[in-house]
Amino acid sequence: MDNKSTQPKLNLVKNNLFSSSYNESELSDFSERMIDKVYTFQKTHESYSKTPLFTLSNLAKHFRIADLKVKDESFRFGLNAFKVLGGIYAIGKYVAELLNKEIEELSFSELQTEKVKKQLGQLTFISATDGNHGKGVAWAARELGQKAIIYLPKGSAETRRKAIENEGATSKISDVNYDQTVQLCADLAEKNGWIMVQDTAWEGYEKIPLWIMQGYATIAKEVMEEMEVMDESPPTHIFLQAGVGSFAASITAYFTEIYREKAPMIILLEPHEANCYYRSFANGKGDMEIVTGDLNSIMAGLCCGAPNTRAFRLLSQYATASFSLDDRIAALGMRVLGNPLKDDPKIISGESGACTTIGLLEYLVSNECTEILEELEITNDSRILCINTEGDTDREHYREIVWEGTHTFKE
């Protein structure tokens, strides 16, 4: 997108399928008891530590809200993104099933022993990724002494491919878009007897995507634990980046399961070029819309055209609305977070991170979009949470936006 001094196109749609009743069968997979098991396994890795939950008091005042918090996943396992939480649990769970054991009976170090490696033999995991998911799968496979093959869609940055390769995987960039790359990997897995580890689901492939989503849900658990330590009330609004919806649905499901009728309002964020949830909500029928084409946006991690079927079922019930965003909204948020007000913490947010929320709020407030703020019930008493799912995973592009000022509203 060029830098002409035009206002960004900003679209909001309310979800008329939103329900205040609860589907126990869907939410039970994200119960406190279930996610405690996931959390227990993840914490057995020696490098595990909680990521920080930052309070941006001065920016909250600027936005005229009561509280603004950012959970910063750029610190996760030293990988600069959250996706490893899904990869480490899904691969661990898969191996546990091969060993005929419950995951809570095992530690990560036990899975790394020579005895277990001999029992398993050589496994090969394959996945499609825009960058962060594949890096997490590659890291988890390498940690267990197994192989990983990762494909990225057409147009992916070479730096993202190399970062995956540096985690020990074979990594290639395909000549098709994300959803077609997923199909490519599924075909290769079936042909070669490899294990597909994908964070999107379709008919006949739902078990591993569910494990990945459960792995993501521990982010919400950490947030709740930290807020209890702070003795603070839960958020009234949570803004979540969509993509295929796995991340957004996992956070939504956990908060909904815990708080029920007091659950926060969930607002989804997507780029115009890959706005499958926005389109699905807009059709008003409950039908899942699929976006095709090159899906070309700076928000690379969100450039997915087909929703995860399980995630769609959850989000169509419990998400209140979805925004379809101009790339310049995300770029604005990157600059705001990287240049904090007064003593607010500095947050490095990649193009698909918390910048989507911060850029949106800055745009709505600075342009006095009162009707949209009122529709979302954002008031002086609102407590907003967003999650910085990635840091500067493409550092060259990050600097082009934050240092050089590309993707601005003015030339």
Side-chain angles (χ1 to χ4, degrees):
M1 183 172 290
D2 61 27
N3 293 327
K4 293 179 181 178
S5 55
T6 56
Q7 291 301 304
K9 185 180 178 184
L10 185 70
N11 297 327
L12 167 67
V13 63
K14 297 292 286 290
N15 175 20
N16 66 7
L17 300 175
F18 173 78
S19 175
S20 57
S21 60
Y22 303 99
N23 186 330
E24 298 290 348
S25 63
E26 292 284 4
L27 293 177
S28 62
D29 290 320
F30 299 90
S31 67
E32 189 167 15
R33 177 176 170 275
M34 181 64 71
I35 302 307
D36 278 347
K37 292 182 180 181
V38 181
Y39 196 40
T40 297
F41 175 73
Q42 289 172 337
K43 290 192 295 184
T44 64
H45 194 283
E46 62 181 4
S47 298
Y48 181 89
S49 63
K50 288 184 179 180
T51 54
L53 179 65
F54 293 121
T55 299
L56 281 66
S57 300
N58 297 298
L59 192 55
K61 291 178 183 176
H62 173 70
F63 290 155
R64 300 192 288 276
I65 59 176
D67 185 57
L68 175 64
K69 285 187 166 51
V70 179
K71 173 76 163 166
D72 194 353
E73 290 296 299
S74 69
F75 291 88
R76 186 67 70 182
F77 282 106
L79 294 175
N80 212 6
F82 80 104
K83 291 275 190 172
V84 66
L85 288 173
I88 193 175
Y89 181 67
I91 290 177
K93 182 74 171 173
Y94 182 85
V95 170
E97 287 202 349
L98 291 181
L99 298 173
N100 198 28
K101 291 188 176 182
E102 296 295 327
I103 189 71
E104 57 267 31
E105 297 174 10
L106 297 168
S107 67
F108 202 88
S109 59
E110 185 177 349
L111 297 182
Q112 292 174 310
T113 62
E114 287 301 319
K115 178 182 177 181
V116 168
K117 288 179 185 177
K118 287 180 180 179
Q119 285 180 269
L120 296 174
Q122 184 66 68
L123 303 175
T124 299
F125 298 95
I126 186 170
S127 187
T129 185
D130 285 310
N132 296 333
H133 169 68
K135 189 176 179 182
V137 170
W139 179 90
R142 187 205 66 216
E143 288 285 287
L144 292 175
Q146 303 296 346
K147 291 183 178 179
I149 298 173
I150 310 296
Y151 279 83
L152 294 88
K154 178 176 67 174
S156 296
E158 179 65 13
T159 53
R160 292 184 185 272
R161 189 199 67 78
K162 286 183 178 178
I164 292 169
E165 197 171 71
N166 289 340
E167 298 300 331
T170 299
S171 180
K172 300 177 182 179
I173 297 176
S174 76
D175 59 359
V176 292
N177 70 19
Y178 172 81
D179 299 295
Q180 293 167 320
T181 304
V182 170
Q183 185 59 57
L184 168 67
C185 290
D187 292 342
L188 288 171
E190 183 176 1
K191 177 181 177 181
N192 296 288
W194 298 336
I195 303 105
M196 182 82 168
V197 182
Q198 202 61 47
D199 63 346
T200 190
W202 55 87
E203 186 176 351
Y205 182 75
E206 289 201 335
K207 186 162 69 171
I208 288 178
L210 172 60
W211 294 341
I212 291 173
M213 291 171 67
Q214 289 171 329
Y216 297 162
T218 57
I219 295 172
K221 181 173 178 60
E222 283 188 5
V223 169
M224 288 180 59
E225 287 184 346
E226 189 63 25
M227 293 188 75
E228 287 174 2
V229 171
M230 296 176 177
D231 194 25
E232 294 192 10
S233 300
T236 59
H237 299 72
I238 305 179
F239 286 76
L240 297 167
Q241 305 90 297
V244 298
S246 299
F247 156 74
S250 66
I251 305 300
T252 298
Y254 189 76
F255 273 96
T256 301
E257 167 69 13
I258 297 299
Y259 290 111
R260 297 301 176 105
E261 66 276 0
K262 295 182 180 179
M265 183 181 291
I266 302 295
I267 297 100
L268 304 181
L269 305 167
E270 303 173 278
H272 289 321
E273 295 79 2
N275 56 359
C276 50
Y277 281 91
Y278 173 85
R279 294 190 188 192
S280 298
F281 292 174
N283 72 38
K285 302 174 183 177
D287 297 332
M288 191 171 72
E289 297 278 347
I290 295 175
V291 180
T292 58
D294 289 341
L295 312 179
N296 186 26
S297 164
I298 67 168
M299 294 172 261
L302 306 182
C303 285
C304 313
N308 173 333
T309 51
R310 183 185 297 271
F312 182 78
R313 291 197 302 269
L314 284 163
L315 292 172
S316 63
Q317 291 177 80
Y318 304 120
T320 305
S322 178
F323 275 97
S324 181
L325 301 178
D326 188 304
D327 279 356
R328 290 172 291 178
I329 293 290
L332 172 63
M334 292 167 71
R335 288 187 283 270
V336 172
L337 287 170
N339 297 274
L341 296 174
K342 298 181 181 179
D343 58 351
D344 279 355
K346 178 179 179 179
I347 296 173
I348 305 298
S349 176
E351 299 88 337
S352 300
C355 61
T356 52
T357 301
I358 302 304
L360 173 63
L361 291 173
E362 169 59 18
Y363 179 83
L364 293 177
V365 171
S366 63
N367 287 280
E368 298 184 354
C369 300
T370 54
E371 288 187 10
I372 293 177
L373 292 169
E374 288 174 1
E375 192 168 7
L376 295 177
E377 300 175 25
I378 295 176
T379 68
N380 294 339
D381 296 322
S382 295
R383 302 181 300 278
I384 293 178
L385 168 69
C386 58
I387 299 170
N388 189 36
T389 49
E390 65 171 7
D392 52 349
T393 50
D394 184 345
R395 290 179 181 172
E396 182 177 344
H397 197 229
Y398 179 87
R399 289 173 181 174
E400 287 176 359
I401 292 171
V402 177
W403 291 15
E404 298 174 26
T406 61
H407 299 281
T408 60
F409 301 143
K410 298 178 182 179
E411 293 183 344

